[in-house]
Amino acid sequence: IIICKLYKPKNLAGAASNEACLFTNPEEELFVGESELCIDYDVSAETSLDASSTNWTEGVEMTPWRRIVVFKADKLEPLIRGIRDAFPHSAQATPAPGAAAAAAAAPMM
């Protein structure tokens, strides 16, 4: 399960379409494609997003939403590979799984 931050155009906020959604983290869109279940919910009442700040959306008024994405555990590894392939620059900055734990366990000399 992951929770994604996304924005929908205010005039399409109730629509179920992904076409008009802007994900805060674009890699999360890959999880949606492999999901078993997605649940969207409006969080505009709980956020302090200034409705007039539309510079990043070219004047389109956006509403903040969250999406709960449920996917099977056996899809995690292929999803991680897909994200690394789709976003190679961010993958270079990310240590390999277990590298941080191995570095922390290594004896200091």
Side-chain angles (χ1 to χ4, degrees):
I1 296 176
I2 64 167
I3 299 174
C4 306
K5 290 171 61 174
L6 57 111
Y7 294 88
K8 295 182 182 184
K10 197 168 191 171
N11 61 338
L12 298 174
S17 173
N18 286 329
E19 293 176 20
C21 293
L22 292 176
F23 285 81
T24 303
N25 299 308
E27 65 273 13
E28 292 175 346
E29 214 165 336
L30 298 174
F31 286 95
V32 173
E34 295 295 326
S35 67
E36 298 292 317
L37 173 69
C38 290
I39 301 169
D40 291 2
Y41 60 98
D42 184 346
V43 294
S44 58
E46 293 106 33
T47 61
S48 61
L49 178 69
D50 182 10
S52 64
S53 62
T54 56
N55 294 338
W56 59 278
T57 60
E58 299 178 2
V60 177
E61 209 172 328
M62 304 295 277
T63 304
W65 285 70
R66 297 296 179 269
R67 178 172 290 170
I68 299 170
V69 181
V70 180
F71 57 93
K72 291 185 176 184
D74 62 351
K75 298 212 177 188
L76 183 60
E77 284 297 322
L79 280 167
I80 291 172
R81 278 194 299 277
I83 290 170
R84 286 186 177 148
D85 292 344
F87 302 93
H89 296 295
S90 61
Q92 291 172 357
T94 305
M108 300 293 284
M109 293 191 190

